[in-house]
Amino acid sequence: MILRSRRGDRSHLPRRGRRACWPAVPAVALAALLTGCGSGAPAPVWTGVTGPSSSVAPGGPAAPGSAQGGSAGPSGSAGASASGSPTPSVGATSATWKKYTDPAKKVSFDLPASWIVQSTDPAPGAAPGSLRLEVKKGDGTFIAALATGLPVPAAQPCDPAQAKPYSVLNSVPVKVPFADGPDVIAPRFVFRVIQGYKFFGSFGLTGIPTAAADGKACRLANIVPGPSGIGGYSFADTVEVTPPAADAKVAPLKSFDSLAQASAYVRDSGDFADAQRMIMSLAFS
């Protein structure tokens, strides 16, 4: 599904009543996107196809439940091309997967069998008993971090003179717990690109609307306001995205020379497909 930048990053995201949602992570299916926390919602697709240069071959990964290296494979994906017609993603995920559960059995998620999880010190300002887990490839390449007990940032004004164009290239509803409120949106897995001296992309869960106007924003938050006992949490490559300065460290943000190049990454990258599947499998006990 392709979603272009919209005012406040809110209009394309469903709102909920004031409640904490505690659904289970859904099974994968070749179905339409989730529409909410209620029962009977269809399962998500893995990868939304992006628009500017997409010419996507038909076909995709194996359907759920099919054998791939002894593990069920992901579904193919349906997204919207620039013309709005559905097209399948060709970004396949790894064949063999495993489940990680932290020693305290607070969280679990699936990840490729060759990836590793390392427990690190909680983020600065995190609540007592919080977790911070870094996921890396077998060669040590950082993929994403899961952090709980985070303070939820208050809405911050964006100086129009500092705002930069941004685009939402991938957006899929996710069934994870969240505490609704006036400045909360139903959680989604997103891949967003903000323009600086290059195009900088970031992926992860978000439940906070972006303060934006005319397709421009100052920062993008990858954080979900969680219910009591969890607090704010982030499962993303970075918690907050701002356009880096030319002499600043870019990683773990992805940098691209164009939106078309960013689109190709979302559409074709196996690492992105793996990260999306992993993050969308997050479950709290």
Side-chain angles (χ1 to χ4, degrees), residues 178-205:
F178 71 102
D180 205 352
D183 295 313
V184 175
I185 56 177
R188 306 179 76 87
F189 174 91
V190 294
F191 183 86
R192 296 175 290 186
V193 173
I194 192 164
Q195 186 174 349
Y197 67 91
K198 283 193 171 186
F199 294 85
F200 297 96
S202 174
F203 59 76
L205 298 178

Side-chain angles (χ1 to χ4, degrees), residues 238-266:
T238 187
V239 175
E240 184 179 86
V241 183
T242 56
D247 58 350
K249 179 182 176 182
V250 173
L253 297 179
K254 309 296 182 291
S255 62
F256 307 97
D257 294 325
S258 65
L259 277 178
Q261 192 178 85
S263 295
Y265 169 77
V266 172

Side-chain angles (χ1 to χ4, degrees), residues 14 111 165 194 285:
L111 70 161
I194 192 164
S285 60

Side-chain angles (χ1 to χ4, degrees), residues 138-168:
D139 62 4
T141 301
F142 175 83
I143 297 294
L146 170 62
T148 65
L150 301 177
V152 178
Q156 300 180 44
C158 178
D159 181 355
Q162 302 298 320
K164 301 294 184 181
Y166 84 104
S167 298
V168 181

Side-chain angles (χ1 to χ4, degrees), residues 41-195:
V45 293
W46 287 123
T47 305
V49 178
T50 60
S53 66
S54 294
S55 176
V56 183
S66 62
Q68 292 188 4
S71 174
S75 74
S77 343
S81 67
S83 63
S85 59
T87 53
S89 167
V90 295
T93 59
S94 296
T96 307
W97 288 68
K98 61 187 178 184
K99 181 180 290 291
Y100 173 84
T101 302
D102 74 292
K105 301 187 184 303
K106 294 180 179 180
V107 298
S108 64
F109 53 87
D110 301 332
L111 70 161
S114 63
W115 290 9
I116 59 175
V117 181
Q118 295 178 333
S119 179
T120 64
D121 292 336
S130 300
L131 296 172
R132 190 177 189 278
L133 305 169
E134 292 189 354
V135 182
K136 300 178 180 179
K137 298 176 69 172
D139 62 4
T141 301
F142 175 83
I143 297 294
L146 170 62
T148 65
L150 301 177
V152 178
Q156 300 180 44
C158 178
D159 181 355
Q162 302 298 320
K164 301 294 184 181
Y166 84 104
S167 298
V168 181
L169 300 185
N170 178 278
S171 180
V172 186
V174 183
K175 282 192 171 182
V176 289
F178 71 102
D180 205 352
D183 295 313
V184 175
I185 56 177
R188 306 179 76 87
F189 174 91
V190 294
F191 183 86
R192 296 175 290 186
V193 173
I194 192 164
Q195 186 174 349

